[in-house]
Amino acid sequence: MVVVGAGPTGLAAATLLARRGVECLVLERHGTPHPLPRAVHLDDEAHRVLAGLGVGAEFAAISRPGRGLRLLDRDMRVLAEFRRGTAPGRHGHPEANMFDQPDLERVLRANLARHAGVAVRGDVEVTAVTQDDDGLVRVALTDRATGAADEVRARYALGCDGANSLVRASIGAAPHDLGFTQRWLVVDVATDAELGQWEGVHQVCDRDRAATYMRIGPTRYRWEFRLAPGESAEDHRDIAALHPLVAPWTGDVPVAELDVVRVAEYVFRAQVADRWRDRGVFLLGDAAHLMPPFTGQGLGAGLRDAANLCWKLAGVLRGALPDTALDTYQAERAPHARAMIGLAKLVGTAMTGGGRTADLLRAALVPRLGLLPGLRERALSSETPALRRSDLVARPRLRPGLAGRLCPNAVLRDGRRFDDVAGGRFALVTSVAASPALRAAVERRGAVLVVAGPGEELHSWLRGGRAAAAVVRPDGAVLRTGRDPAALCSALPPDRVVSDRGHRVPG
């Protein structure tokens, strides 16, 4: 397996594959991890993916729970505030997590180095990706230090090489624009001074100078400001020009105590590639989709891609799943990404769009949002849409159900959480007392049986979904539900795909 790109998505994919015994080579253009911050937020679902990589506790140590969202007008008056607690949510982790991306990449690289059969080769430029009639992917590359050309071959290649993906171009895929483009100034500042600001995200709702502020670490802060036509990041390189923008939050802190880590211009876009696979080549992360940052889901979407695809690749390589199972990757992930992009566009437009009339409407309506039943809970909910129907998601056509949704990472009767017990394998969750025959059948397939009794979260979850049992995939998504656990057992694949242990296989 060749993974092109050693950002968080590529590192996550390589780790998930390595944990299932798949040999990987990760190719990265830069010789060392990118030192500047980019992504700053992950929700509890993405934190759950990181925990599945083996770095849940380490990520918790380098992140801080987000406290919610505050909406402000152009004069910094509070329009509405949605406070969020820091207790674990349905996925077993805080629902919002602020962090510095270089810290995350260091954690992911160190963790990947613990796995056998994986190599990271940096300072190389991938120049071409082609496929042979014999079913192999050929990746041409150049050593950036020596200029030497080389080529590697693999059964599969994963394009985790970002928005300007060469891998995407190599398969003839094109980004489809979803009608959202805005230019923003991104500012990262380090200071030992205490700003004394509310610890949640601040969103200034203003058509002329929309802005976002958030604290991402003990001494790290992020601001984002929408740029006016004709304005650029170069206009704000000097601290004298930058200070008026951040002063509403920094107050009396002397300019000399503000260390500007980065000032950059970003074009926020909404795009989805028209196809995510060509035979043995797949697109993940920004190579497959770009979403506006208003819901903080960009990096999380890439981690979801990796979690969705990698157990399927391992199953195909072991012969436990047909190659057609890989077609479910785009079928499941693309509609999900589009839905999340649509939500981000809606939030961004509601907060920053329109003219003066829109500003007046926001001032009149936003303070009353908290009065609407259920809106506060919905505004803070981190639950994402269910996956669409596929060969690996048996959703009913005429009624909603649990299939395609994530099984809660609930606390079980022995004090462990669901993910600790499932361990990246298939699981059969049931509220019906399990017979010895059922237990034996589940064990023969290398899966895990979880029996949820009355009063337990998983029991209530099944009951709410009008089911007595559910087959849960290695990525936590529900494959199928039903009333008869024994009948559902047949939906469990052979143990060659459910276990992350066993002999190594080439990729």
Side-chain angles (χ1 to χ4, degrees):
M1 186 83 63
V2 173
V3 178
V4 182
T9 298
L11 293 172
T15 304
L16 288 167
L17 291 165
R19 289 173 70 89
R20 295 182 178 278
V22 179
E23 297 176 352
C24 293
L25 171 64
V26 182
L27 303 175
E28 169 56 41
R29 185 177 188 275
H30 300 285
T32 57
H34 191 73
L36 296 178
R38 287 150 290 157
V40 295
H41 170 269
L42 287 173
D43 64 11
D44 54 338
E45 184 181 327
H47 194 160
R48 185 177 180 178
V49 175
L50 294 177
L53 304 179
V55 296
E58 290 162 285
F59 178 68
I62 63 169
S63 61
R64 58 192 295 124
R67 299 302 183 102
L69 173 67
R70 175 179 284 179
L71 304 179
L72 309 169
D73 68 11
R74 62 187 302 165
D75 297 317
M76 305 299 291
R77 293 174 300 202
V78 178
L79 297 174
E81 186 173 285
F82 301 90
R83 289 182 176 265
R84 186 196 301 277
T86 60
R90 69 192 305 271
H91 296 298
H93 307 281
E95 292 181 309
N97 304 274
M98 315 306 296
F99 67 99
D100 195 23
Q101 185 167 330
D103 291 341
L104 173 60
E105 292 193 19
R106 282 190 286 271
V107 166
L108 290 175
R109 281 180 175 252
N111 182 60
L112 183 60
R114 302 184 186 113
H115 294 280
V118 181
V120 178
R121 184 174 175 183
D123 212 17
V124 294
E125 188 83 40
V126 173
T127 57
V129 178
T130 58
Q131 300 187 68
D132 291 340
D133 293 337
D134 58 4
L136 290 179
V137 180
R138 296 177 180 269
V139 180
L141 54 97
T142 301
D143 188 301
R144 298 180 67 215
T146 66
D150 196 1
E151 181 182 87
V152 294
R153 293 181 295 171
R155 172 101 176 257
Y156 297 109
L158 308 185
C160 307
D161 51 341
N164 299 314
S165 171
L166 179 141
V167 178
R168 184 180 63 222
S170 76
I171 65 172
H176 176 65
D177 188 82
L178 299 180
F180 188 96
T181 303
Q182 289 185 358
R183 296 169 52 251
W184 284 65
L185 180 74
V186 178
V187 179
D188 289 284
V189 169
T191 180
D192 290 325
E194 182 55 55
L195 302 189
Q197 297 293 335
W198 182 65
E199 291 286 290
V201 175
H202 299 200
Q203 177 64 53
V204 178
C205 304
D206 177 30
R207 57 148 187 165
D208 295 323
R209 182 67 86 188
T212 306
Y213 157 86
M214 62 201 85
R215 186 173 188 171
I216 61 176
T219 62
R220 300 296 293 270
Y221 301 85
R222 159 72 60 88
W223 283 269
E224 297 169 354
F225 302 95
R226 187 174 180 182
L227 291 169
E231 195 178 19
S232 73
E234 295 304 318
D235 300 322
H236 302 280
R237 296 288 180 191
D238 184 82
I239 187 62
L242 183 62
H243 188 254
L245 295 179
V246 303
W249 291 273
T250 60
D252 296 331
V253 176
V255 170
E257 295 184 25
L258 301 176
D259 180 16
V260 180
V261 177
R262 182 185 67 152
V263 176
E265 179 178 327
Y266 271 67
V267 179
F268 296 160
R269 301 184 186 277
Q271 295 179 342
V272 176
D274 56 0
R275 60 175 175 152
W276 298 23
R277 178 194 183 191
D278 176 21
R279 293 168 288 171
V281 180
F282 297 81
L283 304 179
L284 294 80
D286 286 355
H289 43 69
L290 292 174
M291 61 183 63
F294 301 105
T295 54
Q297 291 292 332
L299 175 55
L303 295 179
R304 291 183 182 96
D305 294 342
N308 184 288
L309 176 62
C310 290
W311 69 271
K312 299 172 184 176
L313 283 168
V316 171
L317 287 168
R318 293 182 186 280
L321 290 175
D323 184 78
T324 54
L326 301 178
D327 294 333
T328 66
Y329 169 58
Q330 181 174 349
E332 294 173 0
R333 285 295 304 135
H336 191 280
R338 284 179 176 271
M340 298 304 292
I341 290 172
L343 177 61
K345 287 175 56 181
L346 177 64
V347 172
T349 301
M351 291 180 177
T352 68
R356 181 54 53 201
T357 300
D359 281 346
L360 294 174
L361 286 173
R362 278 188 282 264
L365 297 178
V366 170
R368 294 167 174 80
L369 292 179
L371 302 177
L372 298 177
L375 182 60
R376 180 174 297 274
E377 291 73 20
R378 186 69 190 94
L380 294 176
S381 174
S382 62
E383 186 173 3
T384 62
L387 299 177
R388 296 279 185 88
R389 285 176 57 89
S390 76
D391 288 348
L392 292 171
V393 175
R395 286 186 64 182
R397 293 187 182 275
L398 301 179
R399 63 176 177 83
L402 299 179
R405 297 197 173 277
L406 288 174
C407 175
N409 188 19
V411 177
L412 306 181
R413 67 181 66 180
D414 63 0
R416 293 182 295 171
R417 287 193 177 271
F418 172 80
D419 286 355
D420 298 327
V421 174
R425 294 168 287 177
F426 269 88
L428 180 64
V429 182
T430 178
S431 59
V432 178
S435 67
L438 178 63
R439 291 184 179 279
V442 172
E443 290 176 3
R444 279 197 303 270
R445 291 177 174 268
V448 175
L449 180 66
V450 177
V451 180
E456 295 184 51
E457 182 180 350
L458 289 182
H459 188 281
S460 300
W461 171 70
L462 286 170
R463 187 173 181 179
R466 299 181 180 179
V471 174
V472 181
R473 309 184 329 184
D475 59 358
V478 176
L479 188 158
R480 184 187 301 273
T481 64
R483 307 298 302 177
D484 183 356
L488 283 181
C489 187
S490 62
L492 293 169
D495 65 350
R496 286 178 296 175
V497 69
V498 300
S499 176
D500 64 357
R501 304 174 181 86
H503 65 280
R504 306 205 64 79
V505 296

